[in-house]
Amino acid sequence: MKKLEEEIKFYRKIFILAAAAYLIFAVIYRFTPELTDPMSLAERLISISVFLMVFILSYRSDWVKRRIEGISYLVSLLAIFQLIYYTYLQNFRVALAILIILITAIFNLIFNLNLLKFLTNLLLIIVMIFTLYFSDSKQIVVPIYFSSYLIITALSFYISYSIEQAQNRIEKNLEELRAQYKFQKTLADVSSRLVNLGLNNFNYKINESLKVLGEFFDIDRSYIFKVSDDKKTMSNKFEWTAPGIKSEKDKLQNLSTQKFKWWFEKLNQKELIIIENLEELDNQADPEKILLKEQNVNSLIVVPIFISDELYGFFGFDLVESEMDFNQAKINQLKIFADVITRAISKHLDNLKIKELSYYDSLTGLYNRRFFEVEMERLDSQRQLPLSIIMADLNGLKIINDSYGHKKGDQMLNKAAEVLKSSLREEDILARQGGDEFIILLPQTDQNGTAKIIQRIKKKTAAVKNLELPLSIALGQATKTNSEEDIEEIIRQADNQMYENKLSESRSSKSNIVQGLINALDAKSSETKEHAMRMTKLAFDFGEKIGLTESDQNRLSLLATLHDIGKININEEILNKEEKLTDKEWKIIKKHTEQGYKIASSSEEFAAVAEEIFSHHENWDGSGYPRNLKENSIPFLARIISLVDSFDVMTHERPYSRAMSKKEALTEIRRCAGSQFDPKLAAEFIEMLK
């Protein structure tokens, strides 16, 4: 519209100037007596009126406005013919002849009608030839006049053509600049939408961005598919459709990726999929062709989405009723937009990971304490009453960590988390408080309902059979029934009850764990259990001989059972090796006293013999391990169990040694008295066995 207005203003100036020219020449002829006006006053007024009439109509008539260039061309051409006619009548007087050439040159410069202008010049040449032929002018040499006309005409035509080409180039550059400006503006729009991307507005902003892309590229659908983590399925997660285009999103969920091998072969190679006409698709892509036909797709472009060098999904851009006419420049623009949105998706995934780290326990996958506190504040309201709390604590975690290592402890924690989670309702909140503690928030649940959940947890805990060690969870509960009660006080009540239950259950739980350790050690070496039983009887007999108290006798019996418990983590191949141990293997064996000490110390019941377990391989002369204790600094019961242990080992066959006779074993004990063994205890022991 703006261009048309500019053209109208330009041609209006031509009309005024042409009318003025007729008037000026009339004045010149009037006041120059030696010149004769070739036109009558009436003819001149008519010509002036024609130009003025068109000038006026250009303001009043839309029809004239739309055809302004053609009308200007016709009236200008009539003026040239009129001038040729009067020049002919005047026998081509020089002044008029030059005027024809000048006006023709101006005519060529004014109009951009290339073919029509060329034909017009050809017509004027023919007319000029005929008029010159029939003229008998003596004032002008015909060849010179004709050649001058041709030169001026050609030159003006060339200038006009050059100007037009320059204008076209300028217009093309302007269009490219406008297109580039529109692209940059749209890109800035999409980028700004995705700058403040948050977890709450992610879906909205991605959908808005797809809308902007769809409208910019004038397509019917723009969408994003996500591939599942196991790469087995794909689903349409985001979609924009143009007005009048049916959405297909609901139908495009959990589609098997194995079915579309051609499609995913290209995507995995980071290739763009460009289908200009669906009917021309290869036969190997028949499944893809069928699916796209069901959506009425005619042509499309697909851009893969890779995040951390792994296929996340793809962008799709469809045309339903027409074929896609994308040049390389548009495809490059499309890839730029896709990169911007891909970065936004990647940032969103990072934010989700941060949230997961912020709100989830990394070991069990349960909510952490931070999230629990947020939810507790949200649910601590009148509407959620009665609001109950369950505190849960995994019994014996320290002894498990010390016995089997933290890997086994983590396995037990995960199993406890699994049991707790499976026992709860969807609306309940379960979180790991840290260490071996869990906390459960039960909205709209009274004491009876909470007790039922606790019974369910206990039942499921008892049913766990696929662990080497027994699973034991101490539980406590409390309920908030009045809005004025402090929820923190309710948590303390539940925690206190749980602690009381833990004290009563812990001893039994740890005993079961230790018994499990003994059984596990026995499974590694079939001789271990019999060795402990023989030692227990021999130690009891020796204790009676030297007059141990009943308390020390019980401790000695427990020590005989547990003295080698630290070997639980030693590989069976080392325990049962027949050849001589390597230095590395011997260092591993020597660590069992320290490990046994940690295990026994984890339980109040067995802590009484922890120091003796630690010291039962110390020697009287300080040459033993692990602390090089000597003489009376070695615990008394440890000195006794060292004698009993050595005698039983010597008199029973081992993978690495033959069995000695009783006499040979006592001879060896007598030889080592004062170096390995307490000499007084060794003498008493030998005397008892004689």
Side-chain angles (χ1 to χ4, degrees), residues 184-245:
Q184 293 292 350
K185 187 174 182 295
T186 308
L187 182 62
D189 180 21
V190 172
S191 299
S192 64
R193 288 173 186 272
L194 300 175
V195 167
N196 297 319
L197 198 64
L199 296 174
N200 296 329
N201 62 9
F202 175 74
N203 290 357
Y204 170 76
K205 290 203 171 187
I206 293 296
N207 283 323
E208 281 294 299
S209 299
L210 290 177
K211 178 177 182 290
V212 173
L213 262 65
E215 292 174 346
F216 177 80
F217 289 108
D218 194 24
I219 53 182
D220 295 327
R221 287 193 199 98
S222 59
Y223 48 85
I224 296 175
F225 267 72
K226 183 184 181 304
V227 179
S228 62
D229 293 339
D230 60 9
K231 309 303 179 190
K232 292 182 179 180
T233 62
M234 62 176 178
S235 299
N236 187 332
K237 293 296 183 182
F238 305 95
E239 182 186 59
W240 170 85
T241 57
I245 301 299

Side-chain angles (χ1 to χ4, degrees), residues 535-549:
M535 281 186 60
T536 300
K537 183 179 185 310
L538 187 58
F540 184 81
D541 292 343
F542 188 50
E544 277 193 333
K545 176 172 179 20
I546 60 177
L548 289 181
T549 65

Side-chain angles (χ1 to χ4, degrees), residues 92 140 194 268 323 405 515 521 610 618 637 647:
F92 284 93
I140 189 165
L194 300 175
N268 283 316
E323 292 186 11
Q515 187 57 51
L521 183 59
E618 299 286 357
L637 296 184
F647 178 79

Side-chain angles (χ1 to χ4, degrees), residues 80-344:
I80 293 174
F81 278 123
Q82 185 186 54
L83 185 57
I84 292 173
Y85 171 70
Y86 286 114
T87 303
Y88 167 73
L89 291 180
Q90 298 266 327
N91 285 322
F92 284 93
R93 285 167 53 189
V94 173
L96 291 174
I98 293 172
L99 189 59
I100 289 175
I101 294 172
L102 180 62
I103 290 175
T104 304
I106 294 171
F107 176 88
N108 283 323
L109 292 172
I110 290 174
F111 297 102
N112 295 324
L113 308 168
N114 288 332
L115 179 59
L116 190 57
K117 191 162 59 177
F118 172 78
L119 295 174
T120 302
N121 278 284
L122 187 61
L123 177 61
L124 290 174
I125 290 171
I126 294 171
V127 171
M128 195 67 69
I129 291 172
F130 275 96
T131 54
L132 288 170
Y133 179 77
F134 290 107
S135 171
D136 56 355
S137 173
K138 300 289 192 295
Q139 293 182 307
I140 189 165
V141 180
V142 172
I144 294 175
Y145 174 82
F146 186 66
S147 61
S148 298
Y149 176 81
L150 283 177
I151 291 169
I152 295 298
T153 301
L155 184 60
S156 63
F157 188 87
Y158 172 75
I159 293 171
S160 174
Y161 177 77
S162 298
I163 292 172
E164 184 181 350
Q165 289 298 105
Q167 288 176 337
N168 288 339
R169 285 195 297 272
I170 291 171
E171 186 63 32
K172 183 179 179 181
N173 289 337
L174 283 173
E175 286 180 8
E176 289 177 354
L177 286 172
R178 290 190 193 102
Q180 186 64 20
Y181 171 75
K182 184 181 178 183
F183 166 70
Q184 293 292 350
K185 187 174 182 295
T186 308
L187 182 62
D189 180 21
V190 172
S191 299
S192 64
R193 288 173 186 272
L194 300 175
V195 167
N196 297 319
L197 198 64
L199 296 174
N200 296 329
N201 62 9
F202 175 74
N203 290 357
Y204 170 76
K205 290 203 171 187
I206 293 296
N207 283 323
E208 281 294 299
S209 299
L210 290 177
K211 178 177 182 290
V212 173
L213 262 65
E215 292 174 346
F216 177 80
F217 289 108
D218 194 24
I219 53 182
D220 295 327
R221 287 193 199 98
S222 59
Y223 48 85
I224 296 175
F225 267 72
K226 183 184 181 304
V227 179
S228 62
D229 293 339
D230 60 9
K231 309 303 179 190
K232 292 182 179 180
T233 62
M234 62 176 178
S235 299
N236 187 332
K237 293 296 183 182
F238 305 95
E239 182 186 59
W240 170 85
T241 57
I245 301 299
K246 183 181 178 183
S247 172
E248 300 288 342
K249 184 179 177 182
D250 292 342
K251 299 178 183 177
L252 302 173
Q253 302 298 316
N254 299 314
L255 304 179
S256 171
T257 55
Q258 292 297 314
K259 187 177 179 181
F260 307 104
K261 292 183 179 179
W262 175 85
W263 189 277
F264 277 91
E265 183 178 343
K266 289 186 173 294
L267 292 179
N268 283 316
Q269 292 175 359
K270 300 186 177 181
E271 292 184 22
L272 267 67
I273 299 175
I274 302 176
I275 302 173
E276 295 181 359
N277 188 330
L278 189 63
E279 296 302 326
E280 298 174 0
L281 203 57
D282 294 341
N283 292 335
Q284 59 181 324
D286 280 346
E288 289 82 355
K289 189 173 182 179
I290 292 169
L291 180 65
L292 293 171
K293 272 191 172 182
E294 290 174 356
Q295 303 168 60
N296 298 317
V297 175
N298 193 47
S299 59
L300 78 159
I301 292 180
V302 172
V303 182
I305 302 174
F306 275 82
I307 295 176
S308 299
D309 208 31
E310 185 177 351
L311 182 65
Y312 173 85
F314 56 86
F315 295 95
F317 304 94
D318 292 354
L319 281 174
V320 172
E321 296 179 353
S322 56
E323 292 186 11
M324 195 165 288
D325 184 22
F326 271 26
N327 55 32
Q328 190 58 47
K330 279 196 172 183
I331 292 174
N332 290 339
Q333 289 179 344
L334 194 63
K335 289 168 70 177
I336 291 171
F337 279 117
D339 286 342
V340 169
I341 299 178
T342 297
R343 285 196 294 272

Side-chain angles (χ1 to χ4, degrees), residues 585-682:
E585 291 168 340
W586 180 238
K587 285 180 180 178
I588 294 172
I589 287 288
K590 289 169 74 174
K591 283 185 175 295
H592 81 279
T593 57
E594 183 179 356
Q595 187 67 17
Y597 171 79
K598 288 181 180 180
I599 295 171
S601 298
S602 299
S603 167
E604 294 176 11
E605 185 178 359
F606 306 121
V609 293
E611 185 63 33
E612 284 75 10
I613 292 174
F614 202 6
S615 309
H616 78 279
H617 277 289
E618 299 286 357
N619 292 336
W620 182 258
D621 62 2
S623 62
Y625 64 87
R627 296 175 290 176
N628 303 119
L629 301 179
K630 62 186 301 185
E631 298 182 0
N632 291 328
S633 61
I634 304 171
F636 185 64
L637 296 184
R639 284 179 264 160
I640 293 175
I641 211 68
S642 174
L643 273 167
V644 174
D645 186 22
S646 296
F647 178 79
D648 188 75
V649 168
M650 285 188 287
T651 55
H652 291 85
E653 189 169 342
R654 294 284 173 138
Y656 49 84
S657 65
R658 67 172 183 83
M660 293 183 181
S661 66
K662 178 180 176 183
K663 182 179 179 180
E664 289 174 322
L666 293 178
T667 300
E668 182 65 16
I669 289 175
R670 185 180 294 108
R671 187 181 69 81
C672 293
S675 57
Q676 181 178 351
F677 307 116
D678 179 335
K680 290 183 179 179
L681 288 177

Side-chain angles (χ1 to χ4, degrees), residues 443-548:
Q444 299 179 5
T445 308
D446 60 15
Q447 283 187 323
N448 290 335
T450 306
K452 289 179 181 178
I453 291 174
I454 286 180
Q455 288 304 314
R456 191 155 61 235
I457 293 171
K458 288 182 176 180
K459 185 176 180 181
K460 289 198 173 190
T461 302
V464 174
K465 301 296 184 183
N466 57 344
L467 294 175
E468 296 178 46
L469 300 173
L471 184 67
S472 174
I473 303 174
L475 300 161
Q477 72 174 84
T479 301
K480 176 177 178 176
T481 57
N482 190 318
S483 59
E484 294 180 1
E485 291 179 286
D486 185 358
I487 189 66
E488 293 293 343
E489 179 58 32
I490 302 300
I491 291 174
R492 277 192 290 273
Q493 291 174 16
D495 193 53
N496 289 338
Q497 188 186 99
M498 180 273 294
Y499 185 70
E500 290 175 6
N501 292 336
K502 186 177 182 68
L503 288 177
S504 62
E505 297 170 6
S506 181
R507 182 178 294 260
S508 173
S509 172
K510 288 177 180 176
S511 296
N512 290 338
I513 292 171
V514 172
Q515 187 57 51
L517 292 174
I518 294 170
N519 293 337
L521 183 59
D522 182 53
K524 284 187 173 184
S525 175
S526 59
E527 194 272 337
T528 301
K529 190 173 184 179
E530 288 79 3
H531 172 58
M533 290 175 64
R534 291 193 301 268
M535 281 186 60
T536 300
K537 183 179 185 310
L538 187 58
F540 184 81
D541 292 343
F542 188 50
E544 277 193 333
K545 176 172 179 20
I546 60 177
L548 289 181

